[in-house]
Every structure is written in C-alpha cells, then in structure tokens.
Amino acid sequence: MAQEVLLNVENLVVSFDTDRGKITPVNGVSFQVKRGKTLAIVGESGCGKSVTSLSIMGLIPGANGKIEGGAIEYDGQDLLKFSGTQMRKLRGDKIAMIFQEPMTALNPVYTIGNQIMEVYKLHREMSKKEAFDHALAMLEKVKIPDPKQRMREYPHQLSGGMRQRVMIAMSLACNPDVLIADEPTTALDVTIQAQVLDLMKDLQTDLGTSVIFITHDLGVVAEVADDVVVMYAGDIIERGTVFDIFKDPKHPYTQGLLDSLPKSSDTKNEELQAIKGMVPSLFDLPQGCRFKDRCALAEEACGESSPELEKFSDTHEAACFVTSRNNAA
C-alpha cells in the first residue's frame, strides 16, 4: 500500500521584485511529503530552500514577494487559495516551523512561558492556567532542565541549545501534522546538535509528525531523512530516497556534496574535497544548466538548454544531460 501523501507541492514558482529587477529563487519546484515521514531539502545557501519553506507557511512578504504559480496542497486543500485568516489558523496548529536562528525568532521582551502559552491560547482557546500547565509539560518533553524556572526566563538568559529546544516545544505544542525545520542545528555545537536531532526523532515517533528538514549538511540527512530533494539555484536537480541519494547519486552537484563530507575510513590527513566556485547570483544565471560553470563534466549541450528531471527508477530522478546519456548507454 502506497504511503499517504500529506503535503504536495506542485510546480511552485516564487519571485521577488528588487531594485535590480525581478528574481526567481524558486523555479518550478515539486515534491511530496508522506505522512509520518521526513523529507530533507538539501543545497548550499542561496538555492531556494528557505523561500520554499516560507511559501508553504504563507510567509512570503507581500510588499515585493509573489507566488507566481503552482500549488501547495495540504491534506487535499490548496493553501494558495486560503485567506490570511485561514492561514493564521493553520500556521502553528496544523503546520509549524522551527526557524533557523532561535534568538531572532523568539521575542526578547516576553518570557519563554508566555511565548509557548500563547500558542495554546490562540489555537486551543485554553485558560491561562491550562496554557501554563501544557507549556510546562512541553518544556519537560523537550528535556529542558528546571522547566519551571525557564518558564519565567527570557530568551537571552538561555543557551543556544536551550533556545532551540524552546522553539521545538513551541512548534510541536499543538501536535502539528507537518513540521518544517529550517536548519535547526546550524548554530549549535556538534554535541548539542546530536541531542536536538535525537529529540526531534523521538518526538516524531511519539506524535507521528511529517517533517521537512532543510539543511546543507548531508551528514545530518543520513541520520534523519526518508526522502531527499536536492536544490540548486532555485531548481530541483535530484530527488530520491535517502538510500538512492547516498548509494547512487546521479547529479554531479549531489556527488560533489557527498564528496565534501569527511570520511570516517580515511587514515590519511587528506584535504576535504570542495565544489569549485559559488552558487550563481539570481541576477546573473547562466544559460542552460545552472550548475555547468562549476561542473567538471560540463559539455557544449549543457550551455544550450536546461536539463529536465529524468527517471532512473520509480523513486529516483535527476536533471543532467551527461548522466542521462551514460544511463541510456
């Protein structure tokens, strides 16, 4: 029996008007999130990962941002047709998000307790006493030490790891169906990162939440993901199961990301492999394949047109002329 699709993003296009002209950081992105599973969206900074997540949450700034096309379907409902009021009811209740930097996401003038209690009062219409009890229970669930004391403290009084646990508590307060985690471990040291990842996996198991995990760290992906989408300069260039991506990466960019990981089997003090160059500016995208200027396999055809995603198996797709030709051969 096929796994139920809870969130379906289809051909999403997002643009921004700037002083230098229009840019399109998300260019026809499609993926599905299955119920109770984790989808990792991978890529370097500037590839469109966070803009994709903000689009799902309905948080694209209306002053200069616009969703130009596509559909975002949650449980059969197109979120792009929701009013602002409908999205506010959904956001934090059915779909929640852990933002990249908790120090800027948390309000510095409200206590930790007040900020978690607000979620319950808004979405569950609880009394102050009920909201307090539930907020305290959530802090205990995310293993915050001395939770009663933390309820009375402000964000600046907590360490980075504890602030991130508070963000997880807030986002999971209403047992959302979908949790978007936007690089939730980037600013943490490796010990705290491991604790946060273990915590998220435990809570996902307990609550059955579907997770979109946004990261540039493929080492983290190997630990948490069921399915993987690789983005580059606004495009999806490869997608498959976590086994597909790590066992048989098809796109040179995905291969480059994997090659840049430290190998536990290495006995020599060899330098890490790096992908040359940088993600191109959205104001000056190359013609054809957007990765061609950084790709060791690039050939003439790569500069003439942009490759489409091609199926290599029922679960694995990639967009690369060279890989497609080699596969056909």
Side-chain angles (χ1 to χ4, degrees):
M1 181 177 173
Q3 189 78 32
E4 181 185 351
V5 173
L6 183 60
L7 184 72
N8 180 48
V9 177
E10 191 71 35
N11 201 29
L12 180 66
V13 179
V14 184
S15 67
F16 290 89
D17 292 321
T18 75
D19 293 340
R20 294 178 57 188
K22 188 172 85 168
I23 57 172
T24 306
V26 176
N27 183 39
V29 164
S30 300
F31 58 81
Q32 295 180 332
V33 183
K34 298 167 187 171
R35 191 176 293 276
K37 299 294 183 179
T38 297
L39 171 77
I41 303 180
V42 181
E44 295 166 278
S45 296
C47 285
K49 309 184 302 296
S50 293
V51 174
T52 300
S53 67
L54 292 173
S55 301
I56 295 170
M57 295 293 291
L59 293 175
I60 295 296
N64 63 343
K66 181 182 180 183
I67 296 179
E68 292 199 348
I72 302 172
E73 296 178 351
Y74 158 72
D75 205 18
Q77 306 171 84
D78 190 349
L79 300 186
L80 298 185
K81 296 179 180 177
F82 273 33
S83 66
T85 300
Q86 287 175 305
M87 280 305 300
R88 281 190 292 274
K89 288 181 179 178
L90 186 81
R91 191 187 303 128
D93 184 11
K94 300 299 184 183
I95 303 178
M97 185 168 179
I98 303 171
F99 291 93
Q100 188 168 350
E101 177 43 65
M103 193 61 193
T104 55
L106 293 169
N107 193 319
V109 301
Y110 288 98
T111 64
I112 296 303
N114 279 333
Q115 295 187 60
I116 303 176
M117 288 166 61
E118 182 183 21
V119 179
Y120 291 110
K121 289 190 283 187
L122 178 64
H123 293 295
R124 295 293 180 264
E125 298 182 353
M126 291 182 180
S127 68
K128 186 175 180 179
K129 175 67 168 62
E130 289 174 320
F132 181 91
D133 291 342
H134 278 76
L136 183 62
M138 276 308 301
L139 288 184
E140 291 171 349
K141 184 172 284 190
V142 299
K143 301 175 183 176
I144 288 272
D146 197 2
K148 282 190 177 180
Q149 174 64 28
R150 305 307 174 198
M151 289 281 286
R152 298 191 291 269
E153 293 181 342
Y154 293 85
H156 72 273
Q157 295 176 280
L158 273 60
S159 67
M162 282 203 287
R163 285 195 293 266
Q164 197 60 281
R165 289 170 187 266
V166 170
M167 286 295 300
I168 294 171
M170 288 177 64
S171 62
L172 293 175
C174 291
N175 295 352
D177 292 331
V178 179
L179 174 66
I180 302 172
D182 187 1
E183 304 206 23
T185 60
T186 297
L188 307 177
D189 64 55
V190 291
T191 304
I192 302 301
Q193 173 178 293
Q195 292 174 1
V196 169
L197 291 176
D198 287 342
L199 171 65
M200 290 183 63
K201 284 191 286 186
D202 290 344
L203 292 173
Q204 182 183 22
T205 301
D206 292 343
L207 303 174
T209 308
S210 300
V211 177
I212 300 175
F213 199 101
I214 297 171
T215 185
H216 59 267
D217 186 345
L218 278 169
V220 171
V221 170
E223 290 188 48
V224 302
D226 297 294
D227 301 293
V228 182
V229 164
V230 183
M231 288 188 70
Y232 186 78
D235 290 338
I236 289 180
I237 50 90
E238 186 163 2
R239 62 184 164 208
T241 66
V242 69
F243 181 82
D244 291 332
I245 299 300
F246 279 83
K247 181 71 173 177
D248 188 23
K250 297 296 186 183
H251 198 282
Y253 179 60
T254 311
Q255 293 168 3
L257 291 176
L258 287 168
D259 288 342
S260 68
L261 289 173
K263 308 294 190 296
S264 60
S265 59
D266 286 349
T267 56
K268 299 178 182 178
N269 293 324
E270 297 178 357
E271 291 186 6
L272 291 176
Q273 298 297 311
I275 303 172
K276 68 175 184 178
M278 298 179 65
V279 178
S281 167
L282 293 173
F283 295 105
D284 188 27
L285 291 170
Q287 184 177 348
C289 175
R290 296 182 176 186
F291 185 62
K292 69 179 180 66
D293 293 338
R294 305 175 70 189
C295 182
L297 303 179
E299 52 189 38
E300 187 176 344
C302 301
E304 295 173 354
S305 60
S306 182
E308 300 289 331
L309 285 166
E310 178 180 320
K311 273 186 172 292
F312 292 89
S313 73
D314 290 342
T315 58
H316 198 181
E317 295 178 295
C320 176
F321 291 126
V322 177
T323 305
S324 297
R325 187 181 66 245
N326 292 342
N327 185 66

